[in-house]
């Protein structure tokens, strides 16, 4: 058995001995080496305390200053520790980190205490972070505080404490901690809340400020004075417990009245700037300047318009307005007004309504009609704007009402959209489908409509869902952009996106032509409304039935303007609509955007044809049609059927009754009557449309089949078309037959397609027939007399 070779004592062992003891020693040496390397390795640049943070200037598109982020954050002229009031430092250490001067950057006792408190409360009530850890967090700006991040934070706090003095760490914290209301650092905080320099702060004021960094929003003295005061008192109590102040000093400080300054900072377009910081924080990292798309000159003009118009609307209980102006070609946000005054606490001025979801009312209707045109309808397609009962998904009745509480009969799509008729829009959506509309709205950039199509139902086209002003203005861009989507741009350094074509350019243009047709909207808006301009402007209003939201969205070929008015607290307005509330602001902003002479019009794309149509029916005019208009069609969709609404009826001029075939020509006059479809017939009668006589003239019986004997069908008329309603049970859907006959005829038989369906008696010979789909010949017969009509029943 050989012996292990011996190692001379004077020789250095380069490798650890084998065995368990060797492995332990190796682990310890490795750990010591790792710790040594960790503390020797340079700090991340973001944690180097002697590097002064640079200013980040937020500029408009022309280089004008909107906001100097770092200047407002108090970092341009940082305080030295000797200039920080000792009472503030004592208050800060007492409430945040009482062992600050004794721990190595991390407090095991604080972590254990926080863990115990959190377990006891079964929720996170304490973090146990030292001021050093908080400074690391301020510098790193983590998006989330995972376990891995917390370990890293603790290690970096240990390293920071080892590299820098306690005074350096405390000085950096005082200059960089966030106190709320965009105030970073004690200098900005003292100025923001008290209008003072830090050296002028009292004990009471110092205690209030020292309590803010833990949760600036929760303890905000501007919005929650009570919570802020309670926090201040906890700070003072902590100072007393630590022996820093006496009970008498604490009582005196608690009784001192706190006089806050006005909640204002030096900033242009605050809603836009703060929103930009929220959505694009990465743009401010390491940047000396941030060049935005905003036009400060236009922004100021827009703000003045909002302020002036809201004064005019004060009697209508309108206290808030929001405006967005977009470049239709690039998506640049040229102006964003989130409220009349960002700093107006009484009316929640800090709420940015430009990016807050609200109900849009009728402002969504153009998208419904665009889909209808995409499915083959035209602007000449008609729809019955009459009282109609629909049923919701749950089977509940739903009866939409027009804004004017009236009905308008048979209307063409151009009229219905231009005048924003609600009932017509719901019927068009019923044809199109709620799901396609919902998907269409999502595809044009509306992200807030997240519920199912069943949730919104047919009321979606009337605004029964919430959208933001910015996204709605962005969505309207598909019309001036020839069917292409638009993505809003906030920084000039961002790329201009081409957009996706999701709508036929010709359909987009037809919607624009309708929304800019001042003649078509005359019935509802009049000749001199805020939507009227001396240059081409397309516009759509929106009004919620609860009077909480008024909208006007419109555009030229180059600019899109969106306006909302209402109240941030959601209280209702009085006597306003989209055209009278948001409309005047829209009008003046559009003038400011486009100038008095406006811009270019909307060039007509190829493939659009003009046709003369009968005004009511939308079909080709006949000699019976008294009024014609010109309408625009996509090639291939022009009407081919002659008008069948107006019919020439032979009248006996001696008494105004129907002239039979035997009537002497000298007394026969042909007169045009509008014979409305069944769904608008009652409306026509109630609105004074003349109806043809029901009886034949007794002077015209000579020459009949048998002297003194005649019979004639009064209803239905020849060519009538009836549509079955899927919501009404088949057994309850009937078509009423009526006839007139000579007094000698007392009984007759009704036939449909040659099959007798029933008997009828004088004087009306009434009969109700349960219809079936298809073309049918309706005939009445008495003795050897008869009369017949051909009708159509469709789905």
């Amino acid at each position: 058995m050989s012996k292990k070779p011996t190692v001379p004592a004077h020789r250095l062992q380069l490798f650890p001995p084998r065995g368990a003891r060797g492995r332990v020693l190796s682990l310890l040496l490795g750990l010591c080496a790792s710790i040594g390397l960790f503390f020797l390795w340079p700090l991340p640049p973001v944690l180097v305390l002697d590097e002064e943070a640079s200013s980040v200037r937020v500029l408009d598109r022309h280089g004008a200053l909107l906001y100097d982020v770092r200047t407002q954050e108090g970092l341009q002229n940082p305080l030295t520790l000797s200039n920080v009031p000792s009472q503030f430092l004592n208050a800060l250490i007492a409430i945040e980190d009482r062992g600050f001067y004794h721990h190595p950057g991390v407090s095991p006792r604080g972590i254990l205490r926080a863990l115990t408190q959190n377990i006891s409360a079964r929720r996170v009530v304490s973090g146990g972070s030292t001021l050093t850890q908080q400074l690391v967090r301020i510098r790193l700006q983590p998006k989330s505080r995972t376990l891995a991040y917390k370990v890293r934070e603790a290690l970096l706090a240990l390293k920071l404490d080892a590299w820098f003095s306690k005074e350096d760490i405390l000085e950096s914290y005082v200059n960089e901690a966030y106190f709320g209301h965009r105030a970073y650092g004690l200098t900005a905080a003292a100025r923001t809340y008290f209008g003072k320099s830090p050296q002028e702060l009292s004990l009471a004021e110092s205690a209030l400020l020292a309590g803010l960094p833990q949760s600036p929003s929760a303890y905000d003295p501007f919005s929650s004075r009570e919570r802020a005061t309670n926090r201040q008192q906890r700070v003072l109590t902590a100072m007393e417990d630590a022996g820093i102040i006496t009970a008498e000093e604490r009582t005196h400080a608690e009784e001192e009245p706190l006089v806050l300054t006005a909640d204002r900072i030096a900033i242009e377009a605050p809603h836009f700037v703060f929103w930009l910081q929220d959505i694009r924080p990465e743009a401010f990292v390491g940047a000396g300047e941030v060049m935005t798309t905003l036009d400060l000159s236009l922004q100021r003009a827009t703000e003045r318009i909002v302020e002036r118009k809201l004064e005019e609307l004060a009697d209508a209980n309108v206290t808030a307005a929001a405006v967005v102006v977009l470049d239709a070609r690039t998506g640049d946000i040229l102006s964003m007004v989130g409220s009349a005054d960002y700093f107006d606490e009484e009316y929640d001025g800090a709420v940015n309504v430009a990016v807050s979801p609200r109900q849009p009312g009728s402002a969504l209707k153009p998208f419904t009609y665009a889909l209808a045109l995409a499915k083959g309808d035209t602007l000449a397609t008609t729809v019955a704007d009459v009282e109609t009962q629909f049923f919701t998904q749950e089977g509940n009745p739903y009866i939409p009402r027009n804004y004017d509480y009236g009905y308008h009969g048979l209307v063409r799509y151009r009229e219905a959209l231009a005048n924003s008729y609600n009932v017509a829009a719901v019927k068009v959506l019923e044809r199109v489908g709620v799901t396609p509309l919902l998907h269409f709205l999502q595809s044009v950039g509306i992200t807030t409509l997240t519920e199912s199509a069943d949730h919104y139902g047919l009321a979606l086209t009337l605004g029964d869902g919430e959208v933001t002003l910015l996204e709605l203005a962005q969505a309207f861009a598909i019309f001036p952009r020839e069917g292409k989507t638009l993505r809003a741009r906030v920084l000039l350094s961002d790329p201009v996106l081409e957009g996706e074509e999701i709508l036929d350019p010709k359909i987009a243009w037809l919607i624009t032509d309708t929304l800019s047709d001042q003649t078509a909207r005359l019935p509802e808006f009049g000749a001199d409304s805020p939507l009227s301009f001396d240059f081409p402007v397309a516009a759509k209003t929106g009004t919620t039935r609860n009077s909480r939201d008024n909208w006007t969205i419109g555009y030229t070929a180059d600019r899109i303007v969106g306006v909302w008015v209402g109240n941030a607290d959601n209280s209702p307005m009085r006597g306003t609509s989209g055209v009278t509330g948001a409309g005047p602001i829209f009008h003046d902003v559009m003038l400011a955007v486009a100038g008095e002479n406006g811009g270019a019009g909307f060039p007509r794309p190829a493939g659009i044809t003009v046709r003369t149509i009968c005004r009511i029916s939308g079909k080709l005019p006949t000699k019976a049609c008294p009024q014609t208009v010109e309408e625009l069609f996509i090639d291939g969709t022009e009407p081919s059927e002659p008008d069948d609404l107006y019919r020439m009826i032979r009248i006996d001029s001696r008494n105004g009754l129907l002239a039979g075939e035997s009537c002497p020509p000298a007394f026969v006059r042909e007169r045009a009557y509008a014979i409305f479809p069944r769904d608008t017939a009652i409306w026509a009668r109630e609105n004074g449309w003349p109806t043809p006589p029901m009886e034949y003239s007794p002077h015209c019986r000579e020459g009949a089949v048998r002297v003194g004997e005649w019979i004639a069908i009064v209803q239905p008329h020849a060519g009538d078309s009836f549509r079955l309603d899927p919501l009404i049970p088949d057994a309850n859907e009937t078509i009423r037959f009526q006839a007139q006959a000579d007094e000698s005829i007392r009984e007759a038989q009704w036939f449909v397609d040659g099959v007798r369906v029933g008997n009828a008696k004088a004087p009306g010979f009434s009969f109700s027939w349960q219809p079936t789909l298809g073309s049918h010949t309706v005939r009445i017969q008495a003795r050897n007399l008869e009369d017949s009509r051909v009708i159509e029943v469709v789905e």
Side-chain angles (χ1 to χ4, degrees):
M1 184 172 166
S2 61
K3 298 174 68 175
K4 292 183 180 178
T6 60
V7 180
H10 65 274
R11 292 184 60 184
L12 177 65
Q13 293 188 22
L14 299 178
F15 298 95
R18 298 178 180 177
R21 185 174 62 181
R23 285 194 294 271
V24 171
L25 182 58
S26 175
L27 181 62
L28 290 174
L29 289 173
L31 181 60
C32 290
S34 298
I35 293 174
L37 286 173
F38 174 78
F39 282 100
L40 290 174
W41 196 265
L43 277 167
V46 72
L47 291 179
V48 177
L49 300 186
D50 56 0
E51 290 190 1
E52 185 177 321
S54 61
S55 173
V56 179
R57 292 161 52 84
V58 183
L59 308 176
D60 90 329
R61 65 190 302 111
H62 304 297
L65 180 65
L66 300 178
Y67 183 47
D68 193 327
V69 179
R70 296 304 183 187
T71 296
Q72 284 302 126
E73 293 171 359
L75 292 179
Q76 284 291 79
N77 299 297
L79 289 168
T80 60
L81 205 59
S82 60
N83 290 327
V84 180
S86 59
Q87 58 192 10
F88 174 80
L89 294 176
N90 290 332
L92 181 67
I93 292 173
I95 193 66
E96 290 290 344
D97 189 0
R98 195 173 298 183
F100 174 72
Y101 284 105
H102 307 290
H103 60 64
V106 175
S107 173
R109 181 182 299 176
I111 294 174
L112 182 61
R113 182 180 64 252
L115 183 62
T116 303
Q117 291 175 350
N118 294 340
I119 293 175
S120 177
R122 294 186 178 180
R123 61 187 179 90
V124 178
V125 296
S126 179
S129 297
T130 65
L131 287 173
T132 312
Q133 287 175 271
Q134 292 180 42
L135 180 58
V136 171
R137 192 178 311 144
I138 289 170
R139 288 294 183 99
L140 294 182
Q141 291 292 308
K143 292 183 178 180
S144 62
R145 296 172 63 189
T146 62
L147 179 60
Y149 163 76
K150 291 178 181 179
V151 172
R152 182 183 180 221
E153 179 187 279
L155 291 173
L156 288 173
L158 289 169
K159 189 170 182 176
L160 194 67
D161 194 274
W163 274 54
F164 294 96
S165 69
K166 292 289 186 179
E167 288 72 19
D168 289 337
I169 294 171
L170 190 58
E171 183 177 287
S172 294
Y173 182 91
V174 169
N175 281 299
E176 298 180 33
Y178 182 53
F179 291 81
H181 289 266
R182 308 292 167 173
Y184 289 79
L186 181 60
T187 299
R191 182 173 60 245
T192 298
Y193 292 103
F194 299 111
K196 297 180 177 181
S197 67
Q199 293 76 21
E200 297 174 296
L201 294 172
S202 67
L203 173 60
E205 292 166 341
S206 294
L208 184 136
L209 294 182
L212 292 180
Q214 185 185 89
S215 181
S217 59
Y219 303 130
D220 181 0
F222 288 125
S223 61
S224 181
R225 187 66 170 264
E226 183 179 356
R227 283 202 297 266
T229 302
N230 290 339
R231 175 68 172 168
Q232 175 212 36
Q233 291 172 354
R234 286 200 294 273
V235 174
L236 291 169
T237 299
M239 295 178 73
E240 181 188 1
D241 293 343
I244 299 170
I245 61 174
T246 65
E248 183 179 354
E249 288 174 319
R250 176 183 60 79
T251 301
H252 179 75
E254 289 176 346
E255 293 175 350
E256 177 184 325
L258 294 173
V259 180
L260 298 175
T261 188
D263 182 13
R264 290 183 179 272
I265 55 178
I267 186 172
E268 299 279 2
H271 291 100
F272 173 78
V273 171
F274 294 152
W275 172 71
L276 175 62
Q277 285 185 285
D278 289 339
I279 66 166
R280 295 293 296 277
E282 74 281 0
F284 294 81
V285 178
E289 292 182 343
V290 176
M291 187 77 77
T292 72
T293 60
L294 202 82
D295 185 324
L296 181 56
S297 176
L298 176 61
Q299 175 73 18
R300 288 172 173 169
T302 303
E303 290 171 353
R304 289 193 296 270
I305 291 168
V306 168
E307 182 179 4
R308 184 175 68 250
K309 292 300 181 181
L310 283 183
E311 289 177 359
E312 298 174 7
L313 290 167
D315 291 341
N317 190 39
V318 179
T319 62
V323 179
V324 168
V325 180
L326 301 179
D327 186 314
R329 303 187 188 280
T330 63
D332 288 2
I333 298 178
L334 302 176
S335 178
M336 175 186 284
V337 177
S339 73
D341 183 356
Y342 179 89
F343 302 100
D344 188 345
E345 293 183 39
E346 181 181 0
Y347 297 119
D348 297 322
V351 176
N352 188 352
V353 185
V355 293
S356 302
R358 309 282 303 201
Q359 287 197 345
S362 297
L364 296 184
K365 287 176 183 171
F367 302 97
T368 301
Y369 285 90
L371 274 187
L373 298 188
K375 288 182 176 292
D377 289 351
T378 73
L379 291 176
T381 301
T382 57
V383 58
D385 187 71
V386 296
E387 182 173 346
T388 308
Q389 177 173 282
F390 301 89
F391 289 90
T392 66
Q393 185 72 14
E394 295 77 21
N396 299 318
Y398 166 55
I399 303 177
R401 305 290 183 188
N402 287 318
Y403 183 78
D404 60 6
Y405 289 96
Y407 299 100
H408 312 93
L410 194 65
V411 293
R412 290 172 288 115
Y413 279 11
R414 178 180 290 272
E415 298 173 290
L417 175 56
N419 292 283
S420 198
Y421 296 148
N422 288 344
V423 179
V426 173
K427 288 192 173 183
V428 173
L429 179 56
E430 188 178 37
R431 298 180 187 180
V432 168
V434 179
T435 297
L437 176 61
L438 180 59
H439 291 165
F440 186 39
L441 291 171
Q442 291 167 343
S443 69
V444 295
I446 304 294
T447 63
T448 52
L449 297 175
T450 57
E451 302 291 343
S452 67
D454 290 342
H455 172 82
Y456 298 113
L458 292 173
L460 178 60
T461 191
L462 305 183
D464 190 12
E466 293 187 334
V467 303
T468 69
L469 179 63
L470 176 59
E471 288 190 347
L472 186 57
Q474 183 179 264
F476 262 74
I478 65 167
F479 302 123
R481 285 173 56 82
E482 301 177 330
K484 289 183 179 179
T485 58
L486 181 70
R487 179 72 61 84
R489 196 169 74 132
V490 294
L491 301 177
L492 288 182
S493 58
D494 290 343
V496 176
L497 301 180
E498 177 66 20
E500 178 187 0
E501 185 177 305
I502 61 172
L503 186 66
D504 186 328
K506 294 185 285 294
I507 293 176
W509 185 85
L510 288 174
I511 295 296
T512 293
D513 188 70
T514 301
L515 296 179
S516 59
D517 189 340
Q518 299 192 52
T519 301
R521 61 171 169 249
L522 278 175
E524 197 70 15
F525 295 98
D528 190 24
S529 79
L531 306 185
S532 300
F533 294 86
D534 294 331
F535 53 91
V537 175
K540 182 70 191 75
T541 61
T543 305
T544 56
R545 181 60 64 183
N546 55 24
S547 298
R548 290 183 169 88
D549 302 275
N550 287 174
W551 305 70
T552 301
I553 313 289
Y555 53 90
T556 63
D558 302 317
R559 298 289 184 264
I560 304 167
V561 176
V563 179
W564 169 92
V565 301
N567 295 294
D569 64 0
N570 216 32
S571 61
M573 297 169 284
R574 293 189 297 269
T576 64
S577 65
V579 70
T580 61
I585 297 177
F586 170 82
H587 186 273
D588 286 10
V589 172
M590 183 58 79
L591 288 179
V593 167
E596 293 291 341
N597 297 323
F602 304 104
R604 181 189 298 182
I608 298 291
T609 299
V610 181
R611 288 287 185 271
T612 299
I613 59 172
C614 191
R615 188 182 69 82
I616 295 183
S617 69
K619 298 180 179 180
L620 297 176
T622 64
K623 68 174 184 176
C625 177
Q627 292 180 306
T628 62
V629 293
E630 287 190 340
E631 187 53 272
L632 297 157
F633 299 88
I634 297 174
D635 288 353
T637 66
E638 309 93 323
S640 58
E641 297 180 357
D643 170 64
D644 56 359
L645 184 121
Y646 285 99
R647 302 175 192 177
M648 302 302 296
I649 306 295
R650 289 164 47 89
I651 302 296
D652 187 338
S653 61
R654 292 168 291 184
N655 54 20
L657 299 179
L658 294 173
E661 294 297 329
S662 62
C663 218
F667 301 109
V668 174
R669 302 287 184 269
E670 283 197 334
R671 186 177 300 170
Y673 286 92
I675 310 300
F676 283 85
R678 182 178 61 169
D679 52 3
T680 50
I682 295 177
W683 171 88
R685 186 165 56 250
E686 292 175 345
N687 284 270
W689 283 82
T691 58
M694 305 289 287
E695 300 179 6
Y696 279 86
S697 171
H699 301 309
C700 301
R701 293 177 181 172
E702 296 80 4
V705 175
R706 182 175 294 177
V707 176
E709 294 183 355
W710 58 274
I711 193 168
I713 296 176
V714 176
Q715 285 186 325
H717 301 99
D720 276 354
S721 180
F722 299 88
R723 184 180 298 275
L724 297 180
D725 191 332
L727 299 179
I728 299 176
D730 292 345
N732 295 341
E733 287 198 286
T734 59
I735 296 177
R736 189 171 181 79
F737 299 164
Q738 282 190 301
Q740 291 182 339
D742 182 79
E743 293 181 357
S744 65
I745 298 176
R746 310 307 299 167
E747 189 172 354
Q749 293 80 43
W750 286 99
F751 295 81
V752 175
D753 299 331
V755 177
R756 190 173 72 177
V757 293
N759 297 331
K761 295 184 178 181
F765 300 97
S766 298
F767 179 77
S768 293
W769 173 64
Q770 187 172 330
T772 58
L773 295 176
S775 178
H776 303 284
T777 299
V778 178
R779 179 168 58 90
I780 190 169
Q781 181 175 333
R783 302 175 185 161
N784 62 341
L785 305 173
E786 65 177 38
D787 191 18
S788 63
R789 302 280 189 272
V790 176
I791 63 171
E792 188 84 14
V793 178
V794 297
E795 288 185 311

